Amino acid sequence: MLATAAPVRSARTLFMSMSIVMVGLGLAMSLTGVRSSLEGFSATQIGLIGAGYYMGLLPGSLMAPQIVGRVGHVRVYAGLASVAAAVLLAFPAMVTVGLWVALRILLGFCMAGIYVTAESWLNAVSTNEIRGRMLALYLLIVNLSVGGSQLLLPIADPRTVAPFAIAAVLFSLSVVPLTLSVAPAPSHTFEKQAIPIRQIVQTVPVGAATAVVNGLVNGILAAIGAAYATSVGMSLAATGTFVGAAFVGGLILQFPLGWISDRFPRRKVILATTSVAGALAVVAALVDPLSRVMPMVMLVYAAVAFPMYSIGISHVQDQVPKELLIPASAALLAFYGAGSITGPLVASVIIQATGPSAFWWTIAVSHFLLVPYAVYRLIRRTVMPRPQRPSVPVPAEAGSYFGLLVEDTSPFADPD
């Protein structure tokens, strides 16, 4: 316990800053979706706006480590949070599809830098013995903050500047704990390494496919979820509850499913998880969206679906040598980012053509796409060649550099 307390104390200002900024981000993400729907943007336009965040998140995550290495953690965090606050104030000032796409791209880029800053900070102050617990605490703070942010959605009319200003103020205030702290920021540098995308696809194809599918469904939920709720007639309070249920639900089974994946072949756990999540999405598509049980359905679905990314990362961890862990995490983030960009774009086109119910059907189909591929890989190779490392919960949108820094020196194993 004492060994854990010191790193937690050294990171408490970071946790304070991250909790504040994630409340602002969660509010901003839902606001742009709701406002887009109220402005009468088409489903395709809403999907494009939603995908913009991930268009910025992906390159930002790949560029941010070098920026942090040159400038330092506090300066990067303060600069990007300040830019993000200005971006949020620009949303209600100029309501056009093209500009909103550009603003979402910039917001995603800023958040990528904030994620990488936070995770590299935590890695610098953690030891191998407590790294998993520190990341679990970080994950808890991130998800609860985003989920709790939805309670702020009804406090002001999304057609006005006020709610966007509140989100901007939160981004600005998040800088205060870090910049006024007497605790020194960690010194940390990043070495630029090639991203082994082809190696990951060839060696751990199920892990790569899991990251893509998780990106597809999380992108649809995050980019279109609030707009979907508004389009089917949910009130602002109900929309906040619906979206918030996803982030709270995502915490419930992170550790139980991680525990299961440590004791059973991870590919089988991935297959079971994506099958159940797809079935739950079908149930959600059949439930009246205005029913009181809909938030509970969302909660249960997210509880099953959200841990898939962590299990996929753990599956890749089992096969990747130490020197390739960080570039491998960047490769997985690239797969996740590709799915996150594609999901909202494809789903919005289908919703435009068939109606709001396609929101859940596209999520279900995305999950079911992974089933035959996972079965094929299990048949092709039934036994994994190396022992598994313990599973570590990893927030899907974060930079993921922190979650993969574990000890190992062996080479890539045979393809799964």
Side-chain angles (χ1 to χ4, degrees):
M1 181 67 70
L2 291 176
T4 309
V8 170
R9 284 196 299 270
S10 67
R12 59 189 174 189
T13 54
L14 176 66
F15 287 143
M16 290 174 60
S17 290
M18 287 302 296
S19 64
I20 297 171
V21 82
M22 295 311 295
V23 172
L25 177 67
L27 177 60
M29 295 288 276
S30 292
L31 274 175
T32 53
V34 171
R35 181 67 179 269
S36 296
S37 182
L38 294 175
E39 290 290 336
F41 294 161
S42 68
T44 303
Q45 291 172 325
I46 292 173
L48 181 60
I49 291 170
Y53 175 80
Y54 300 99
M55 295 176 190
L57 188 73
L58 178 56
S61 296
L62 302 180
M63 295 170 61
Q66 284 72 44
I67 299 174
V68 172
R70 289 196 304 267
V71 180
H73 294 76
V74 174
R75 289 178 179 176
V76 171
Y77 185 101
L80 293 178
S82 299
V83 172
V87 167
L88 293 175
L89 291 175
F91 274 104
M94 296 169 281
V95 185
T96 64
V97 174
L99 182 61
W100 274 33
V101 171
L103 291 174
R104 290 270 298 196
I105 291 173
L106 186 53
L107 179 61
F109 185 91
C110 291
M111 284 308 305
I114 289 173
Y115 285 138
V116 171
T117 298
E119 291 179 20
S120 62
W121 187 308
L122 291 177
N123 180 66
V125 301
S126 300
T127 63
N128 287 339
E129 290 74 18
I130 66 165
R131 184 167 284 115
R133 280 170 285 174
M134 289 288 283
L135 180 58
L137 180 58
Y138 167 69
L139 176 64
L140 180 68
I141 290 171
V142 166
N143 281 275
L144 288 181
S145 297
V146 175
S149 70
Q150 304 307 303
L151 300 176
L152 299 177
L153 195 57
I155 66 174
D157 187 348
R159 297 180 182 86
T160 67
V161 176
F164 291 92
I166 292 172
V169 167
L170 289 169
F171 267 80
S172 297
L173 290 177
S174 75
V175 177
V176 175
L178 284 184
T179 54
L180 296 185
S181 173
V182 296
S187 58
H188 198 74
T189 58
F190 293 85
E191 295 182 5
K192 188 173 182 179
Q193 296 173 284
I195 300 174
I197 290 179
R198 180 176 296 181
Q199 282 182 290
I200 295 296
V201 171
Q202 293 176 345
T203 308
V204 204
V206 172
T210 300
V212 172
V213 169
N214 202 246
L216 285 170
V217 298
N218 285 3
I220 294 170
L221 282 171
I224 305 179
Y228 159 78
T230 303
S231 67
V232 297
M234 291 188 194
S235 66
L236 283 178
T239 297
T241 302
F242 175 76
V243 176
F247 292 96
V248 175
L251 293 171
I252 296 174
L253 295 182
Q254 284 280 359
F255 287 100
L257 284 177
W259 183 87
I260 292 172
S261 75
D262 286 340
R263 286 152 183 81
F264 297 92
R266 297 203 205 275
R267 292 177 301 164
K268 292 184 178 180
V269 178
I270 290 171
L271 174 59
T273 301
T274 196
S275 300
V276 173
L280 289 170
V282 171
V283 171
L286 299 176
V287 171
D288 180 359
L290 299 181
S291 169
R292 292 183 177 180
V293 304
M294 178 53 81
M296 183 58 64
V297 174
M298 170 63 91
L299 185 83
V300 176
Y301 164 78
V304 175
F306 277 32
M308 280 181 58
Y309 188 78
S310 295
I311 300 171
I313 279 188
S314 298
H315 176 51
V316 173
Q317 279 183 317
D318 298 334
Q319 310 306 313
V320 176
K322 178 183 177 182
E323 63 270 15
L324 288 177
L325 287 175
I326 292 179
S329 74
L332 283 183
L333 184 65
F335 295 130
Y336 177 86
S340 300
I341 294 169
T342 304
L345 296 176
V346 173
S348 63
V349 172
I350 298 173
I351 291 170
Q352 183 77 31
T354 63
S357 64
F359 171 80
W360 282 112
W361 288 113
T362 52
I363 290 175
V365 170
S366 297
H367 281 292
F368 290 142
L369 285 174
L370 183 57
V371 172
Y373 185 65
V375 170
Y376 164 72
R377 297 304 309 181
L378 283 166
I379 293 173
R380 178 168 178 174
R381 189 174 187 91
T382 58
V383 180
M384 292 301 297
R386 289 179 50 194
Q388 298 180 163
R389 296 187 179 98
S391 174
V392 179
V394 178
E397 279 192 10
S400 302
Y401 294 90
F402 178 52
L404 288 175
L405 294 175
V406 295
E407 292 294 332
D408 196 285
T409 56
S410 52
F412 266 103
D414 295 333
D416 69 357

